[in-house]
Amino acid sequence: DVHAHVGNFGTILSPGVDAQVREMDRIGIRTAAVSSVEGIFGDVKGGNDIILDAIRRFPGRLLGYCHISAQYPDLIAAELERCFRHKGFRGIKVYQVGTDFDHPLYNPVWEFAKTHRLPVLAHTWGGNLTGFDRVARKFPKVAFMTAHSGSGFAYQPYVDAAKKVQNLYLDVTYSREHTNMIEYFVREIGADRILWGSDAPTFSMSQQVGKILFARISDTEKRKILYGTAARLFRLEGGK
């Protein structure tokens, strides 16, 4: 699971991290990469602290994203250094709010990711990549993962971008899908560039995994989407 969270999105149905891990056990999810809800809403340092606590409590089951925001440029360098002193942090999460991803404010993030071989997950929506594809082209050694690929039924912009930028990966975390969208993504760019995520606790893990398990693609392609490619990007056992 390359796209999950720790925290509460404001609903009483949101489970805590212990319940999330129990649900991972029930469904058969070995590892989830998590970022903080609090970071999305502006508490970057506090959110990263929450992730640090979670990955310490569940080592190997939860991998941490260090949340970075160009809205707080003075925190970027310090938070990257602070987070990655802990080996449980394995990626960077960016959530665009008013600053496109190819803005110079983000350059230290991409340089850090390049130096430390870290994948980067960015929130995108409705086919608007807000410069993420452009910056991916400038940093070909970094794996750039577009969250919510196909959201708003705008699947074609993601396919077009991925065809042009070979280090752009499509994260299909999303609660709705066009009929045959997964099959179309696989046919157009290949299962090697598609990643599965749940967006837990926002969405149900079981609901999200079903669209891959029952897609009309081969078992080999399903294994790549559900584990193999993510394991390679996060440098886990069995990565292909």
Side-chain angles (χ1 to χ4, degrees), residues 187-200:
R187 184 172 72 249
E188 292 297 308
I189 67 167
D192 305 84
R193 307 260 305 285
I194 300 169
L195 300 163
W196 176 78
S198 69
D199 213 9

Side-chain angles (χ1 to χ4, degrees), residues 168-229:
L168 200 66
Y169 293 79
L170 303 189
D171 157 18
V172 294
T173 301
Y174 181 44
S175 63
R176 298 183 296 171
E177 307 291 337
H178 262 300
T179 301
N180 298 323
M181 192 187 82
I182 300 300
E183 292 86 343
Y184 181 72
F185 278 177
V186 170
R187 184 172 72 249
E188 292 297 308
I189 67 167
D192 305 84
R193 307 260 305 285
I194 300 169
L195 300 163
W196 176 78
S198 69
D199 213 9
T202 314
F203 302 144
S204 160
M205 295 180 193
S206 55
Q207 179 255 7
Q208 286 288 289
V209 79
K211 65 189 178 189
I212 306 300
L213 293 180
F214 297 102
R216 295 177 180 86
I217 57 178
S218 71
D219 286 348
T220 298
E221 290 165 329
K222 292 174 185 178
R223 282 192 288 270
K224 289 179 179 179
I225 295 170
L226 291 170
Y227 185 80
T229 300

